[in-house]
Amino acid sequence: MQPDPRTNLSNQLADTLKNRTVEPDDKREITITFRVSYAEKARLEQRCNGVVKSDYIRARLFDYPLPHPKLTIPEANRQAVYELKKIGNNLNQQTKAINEAVKIGSQPLTSNVKEYLQTIKELTALLEQTHASLSQPISDED
């Protein structure tokens, strides 16, 4: 039984594209502007789905691989994530300072210090969970 010619062609094309290296121009200095209808604009935005329009068009036009979509995080969540990162940095600084003080002997490792370090560890884990939850992209159904 001979393989289907379409399958062979498809496999050859896939191998060629897989092994091809794309080297886009380093410096893009030329701007191209063109008009589209409202329907075309809506269709383009739907197809881009989180990918920058110029990157999407360039990828489709020049057979570059499609870039991964960027996460769209609501503005309120972005502000909350920013604040959570600041809190996380403060907790990390406190942990580092306590561990350093214990290491050099200026702070004994008492049960209170161990309990405080455990609380910081739990808070850090909670911050990471909250950060991950707030960083979820906006779904298309919203």
Side-chain angles (χ1 to χ4, degrees), residues 8-104:
N8 283 343
L9 183 59
S10 178
N11 290 340
Q12 287 175 345
L13 180 60
D15 288 342
T16 301
L17 291 174
K18 183 171 61 174
N19 296 326
R20 192 171 124 218
T21 58
V22 176
E23 297 177 16
D25 296 335
D26 291 336
K27 203 170 187 180
R28 294 186 172 110
E29 299 175 294
I30 300 170
T31 301
I32 298 176
T33 306
F34 61 98
R35 294 182 184 274
V36 294
S37 68
Y38 287 107
E40 289 170 330
K41 182 177 187 249
R43 190 170 166 197
L44 177 63
E45 287 174 352
Q46 181 183 20
R47 286 189 176 191
C48 287
N49 195 24
V51 175
V52 176
K53 285 184 196 87
S54 60
D55 290 342
Y56 176 82
I57 293 168
R58 199 176 291 113
R60 294 301 303 254
L61 183 63
F62 299 119
D63 297 322
Y64 296 158
L66 281 173
H68 295 289
K70 295 185 183 203
L71 293 179
T72 305
I73 300 172
E75 180 59 38
N77 289 12
R78 278 185 260 168
Q79 185 61 35
V81 165
Y82 173 76
E83 295 298 330
L84 288 173
K85 285 181 179 182
K86 285 175 33 179
I87 293 169
N89 286 339
N90 288 339
L91 291 174
N92 287 337
Q93 289 171 355
Q94 289 178 21
T95 303
K96 198 173 186 180
I98 291 169
N99 287 328
E100 187 62 29
V102 168
K103 184 178 175 183
I104 63 173

